[in-house]
Amino acid sequence: MEKKKDIRALSKEQLQDFFVAQGDKSFRGSQVYDWLWNKASYNFEDMTNLSKSTRQMLEDNFVINHIEVDEMQRSKDGTIKNAVKLHDGFTVESVLIPTFSRTTACVSSQVGCSLDCKFCATAKLKRLRNLNADEIFDQVVAIDKESRLYNGIPLSNIVYMGMGEPLMNYNNVLKSVEKITSPEGLGMSPKRITLSTSGVPKMIKKLADDKVKFNLAVSLHSAIDEVRTQIMPFNAKFPLADLRDALIYWHEHTGKAVTYEYIVWKGINDRVEDIRALVQFCKHIPCKVNLIEYNPIDDGEFQQGSDEAVAKYKTALEANYITVTLRHSRGKDIDAACGQLANKQKVV
Ligand code: SAH
């Protein structure tokens, strides 16, 4: 028998065309689309505004591939980490981070990662495959449900900051944003979404050309090429000058600022010249710097910089009118913090 097609791979128009080809009305396609992307239904049975025979016909022709939350861990601080099983057996992780003012979902965009940042646990996994738009969408839906269940409030923000490099899975990531933000989908505001990239210049320009409405964060970690290449080797291919040009382009075309994520490490980027280079880099376009706490992943090759070094960064940036925030890690006890997502529970 021919393998059934995943219905969520079809656009709204394709769904409408399918019904017309069956001799039915095109608005049936819109109804199904609403069940799939607004109500996030995984069962044709649920689609009660369709006749029984139509539901059966869909069942005969299609499947709805979807994720399963395989294991959920809750941290002492309220952070939740989901190990999410994909339909072909791979596992990725997503995280729910509740704070005083918001509830944020941190979602994965790839199984593993093709980049090789020396300080990140996900980098050790290599990239196995890209996630489809629906697999990213499903992570958001799962976290929203948990947020309502455990915290009594819906999800308010989304960060593409889990496993993988979102700009190396560009089309699926943008499609997922479309399903999450469109009124026919989940209807969330793009202003509440942030995509975090290690900085792929060509794709940052493409985001600007595509006039995206969400926010951009760049994992900078050093504004000196030699240092950055040492800790993020792909920087040799995409040097800071190219990143700078892409960010200027981003700002010119979207009018938006950027957030730089930055970890201060002992003996790596805690010198005066490192601070000076960051301050200079921050002058290219309006920006904010998020100083992230390092979450150790290995044998101690990297160590969090001293409080004094972090304070020096903060003072220098603020003296130049650059907004700085200090981000403390959440969910460390369950390996849910930045850079710790590595499927410790499950072997993929
Ligand atoms: N590839 C994307 C998104 C995934 S990484 C990116 O690079 O932005 C998400 C964030 O976690 C990045 O800012 C990354 O630099 C940071 N990160 C990675 N490993 C970390 C660690 N061990 N401790 C703290 N932050 C880490």
Side-chain angles (χ1 to χ4, degrees):
M1 207 178 86
E2 207 185 320
K3 219 173 141 220
K4 290 187 206 172
K5 221 176 151 167
D6 182 0
I7 195 165
R8 290 198 296 174
L10 269 55
S11 66
K12 190 170 174 185
E13 289 68 36
Q14 288 170 323
L15 274 174
Q16 291 169 335
D17 291 348
F18 170 79
F19 276 97
V20 172
Q22 299 282 317
D24 205 333
K25 307 246 168 28
S26 83
F27 83 86
R28 293 264 174 258
S30 315
Q31 287 177 313
V32 173
Y33 191 89
D34 182 67
W35 279 107
L36 295 175
W37 298 109
N38 179 271
K39 303 192 172 70
S41 169
Y42 292 162
N43 286 304
F44 294 117
E45 275 296 292
D46 294 345
M47 305 183 180
T48 44
N49 54 358
L50 305 178
S51 69
K52 248 194 148 115
S53 59
T54 305
R55 280 182 264 158
Q56 188 57 51
M57 184 272 290
L58 289 173
E59 194 86 58
D60 295 342
N61 283 280
F62 298 105
V63 287
I64 307 176
N65 286 333
H66 58 85
I67 65 158
E68 269 340 311
V69 177
D70 211 20
E71 182 165 352
M72 188 200 78
Q73 288 174 276
R74 288 177 78 191
S75 157
K76 291 193 288 262
D77 65 16
T79 303
I80 289 177
K81 181 167 83 169
N82 288 335
V84 162
K85 200 161 169 199
L86 308 177
H87 72 94
D88 55 3
F90 284 124
T91 304
V92 294
E93 294 176 339
S94 28
V95 183
L96 161 76
I97 310 149
T99 59
F100 177 67
S101 57
R102 53 175 76 168
T103 313
T104 304
C106 175
V107 295
S108 293
S109 57
Q110 296 181 313
V111 184
C113 189
S114 57
L115 301 181
D116 46 4
C117 303
K118 299 296 179 207
F119 48 86
C120 179
T122 307
K124 312 244 180 287
L125 297 174
K126 307 293 167 221
R127 191 196 74 97
L128 295 170
R129 76 163 169 87
N130 286 339
L131 296 196
N132 294 326
D134 51 277
E135 292 169 328
I136 300 171
F137 175 91
D138 283 355
Q139 293 176 63
V140 171
V141 170
I143 288 197
D144 181 50
K145 274 190 195 144
E146 289 167 350
S147 179
R148 288 168 199 263
L149 182 67
Y150 295 107
N151 307 332
I153 45 167
L155 189 64
S156 64
N157 294 68
I158 302 171
V159 291
Y160 283 72
M161 227 180 252
M163 300 165 90
E165 169 48 52
L167 293 189
M168 296 208 166
N169 183 15
Y170 190 91
N171 291 339
N172 290 326
V173 163
L174 258 67
K175 246 192 243 168
S176 71
V177 171
E178 211 277 314
K179 306 287 190 204
I180 293 164
T181 56
S182 76
E184 292 172 314
L186 299 181
M188 283 184 73
S189 166
K191 290 194 192 116
R192 294 180 169 275
I193 299 180
T194 300
L195 181 150
S196 175
T197 176
S198 52
V200 189
K202 205 170 81 190
M203 303 318 275
I204 292 176
K205 286 189 176 168
K206 186 158 165 50
L207 285 176
D209 289 338
D210 288 339
K211 300 186 173 50
V212 299
K213 298 278 189 304
F214 52 76
N215 305 303
L216 182 66
V218 172
S219 302
L220 193 60
H221 304 312
S222 174
I224 299 176
D225 271 319
E226 299 77 66
V227 178
R228 196 167 193 259
T229 300
Q230 202 194 324
I231 55 179
M232 303 170 82
F234 68 88
N235 184 73
K237 219 164 101 200
F238 308 123
L240 287 161
D242 294 357
L243 179 59
R244 172 202 63 206
D245 292 348
L247 289 168
I248 292 172
Y249 187 91
W250 158 264
H251 178 61
E252 276 173 2
H253 288 76
T254 64
K256 281 170 112 36
V258 65
T259 299
Y260 296 121
E261 295 158 285
Y262 201 101
I263 305 172
V264 182
W265 287 288
K266 218 168 259 174
I268 291 177
N269 60 358
D270 58 356
R271 303 161 304 171
V272 177
E273 56 258 53
D274 295 302
I275 301 178
R276 214 173 282 149
L278 176 61
V279 170
Q280 284 311 315
F281 199 85
C282 284
K283 291 187 175 164
H284 299 311
I285 67 164
C287 67
K288 193 177 97 180
V289 175
N290 206 343
L291 292 173
I292 311 177
E293 197 184 339
Y294 176 57
N295 303 308
I297 55 151
D298 53 19
D299 44 16
E301 191 190 341
F302 288 89
Q303 280 168 40
Q304 167 69 37
S306 64
D307 290 349
E308 200 192 334
V310 174
K312 277 191 187 152
Y313 263 99
K314 191 165 183 283
T315 308
L317 290 163
E318 283 173 348
N320 285 275
Y321 307 103
I322 299 154
T323 306
V324 190
T325 49
L326 298 182
R327 194 169 80 199
H328 294 290
S329 289
R330 305 285 307 266
K332 266 194 193 181
D333 54 331
I334 54 167
D335 282 330
C338 279
Q340 292 188 312
L341 302 184
N343 297 336
K344 264 197 201 163
Q345 302 305 310
K346 293 269 157 200
V347 179
V348 289

